[in-house]
Amino acid sequence: MATVDNIRQYLPLCWFRHNPLELIRSTGFFRQNLIFYYLIEYFLQANMTDDPIESFYEVTIETALTLLFIGLMMFFNKTLYGFIQVTTAMLLCANVVALFIIPVMIWLTVSDDPLSYYLLFALIFWDFALVTYIFKQVIEVNVIASGVLALLYFVLTYLGAFGLGQLI
């Protein structure tokens, strides 16, 4: 029952409401989101690469880079006390978007319809906008600065994981 209450508190972030630092701190909910995030990312990555071992390494590196990026950002901003709330917010928003991306990816793979590409782009933009919003709320900067930080986040976590995964 506590998980449902936590989802009710964190879900409005997906519609650009609330400040993650003001939400409840729950390490159990954080753990659940982290596991769900890992499994969803692994599923998506394994379907793109067709190599489960490579996917495992890349998703593990990506998850570690995500946690490291958020931790460093909050350390330098002196808001590390809210690491659990902010990371849970980031993971929950990524999980919600991923739940919409999975059927679109299946549709894209099966039909190669141009509309599926547009919808996939819109979902990726939504994810980017959510990360920008969360960064804006947490480090209290303007939209442009948080957008640049979100772009840096995506480049370092996703391309960094890809690059490091290729080295392994």
Side-chain angles (χ1 to χ4, degrees), residues 19-36:
N19 184 337
L21 292 174
E22 296 171 356
L23 296 173
I24 62 166
R25 183 178 198 270
S26 171
T27 54
F29 190 56
F30 164 74
R31 229 176 291 123
Q32 291 170 348
N33 273 288
L34 185 62
I35 291 168
F36 191 75

Side-chain angles (χ1 to χ4, degrees), residues 1-10 24 26 28-29 32-33:
M1 200 60 164
T3 301
V4 174
D5 292 333
N6 290 338
I7 290 172
R8 283 188 193 140
Q9 283 198 355
Y10 278 85
I24 62 166
S26 171
F29 190 56
Q32 291 170 348
N33 273 288

Side-chain angles (χ1 to χ4, degrees), residues 9 19 23 53 57-58 69 73 81 87 90 94 162:
Q9 283 198 355
N19 184 337
L23 296 173
I53 304 292
Y57 286 125
E58 285 188 23
F69 186 92
M73 176 195 68
Y81 62 87
T87 308
M90 295 275 291
F162 175 74

Side-chain angles (χ1 to χ4, degrees), residues 132-153:
T132 301
Y133 174 78
I134 291 170
F135 285 168
K136 181 182 181 306
Q137 295 294 315
V138 171
I139 59 176
E140 298 174 347
V141 294
N142 62 23
V143 175
I144 294 171
S146 62
V148 169
L149 192 59
L151 184 61
L152 181 64
Y153 163 76

Side-chain angles (χ1 to χ4, degrees), residues 32-43:
Q32 291 170 348
N33 273 288
L34 185 62
I35 291 168
F36 191 75
Y37 174 83
Y38 189 89
L39 293 174
I40 292 272
E41 290 295 321
Y42 181 76
F43 174 77

Side-chain angles (χ1 to χ4, degrees), residues 109-143:
T109 304
V110 171
S111 71
D112 206 31
D113 187 357
L115 184 60
S116 63
Y117 285 101
Y118 298 137
L119 190 54
L120 181 64
F121 177 75
L123 290 169
I124 291 170
F125 181 76
W126 182 30
D127 192 27
F128 179 79
L130 288 170
V131 171
T132 301
Y133 174 78
I134 291 170
F135 285 168
K136 181 182 181 306
Q137 295 294 315
V138 171
I139 59 176
E140 298 174 347
V141 294
N142 62 23
V143 175

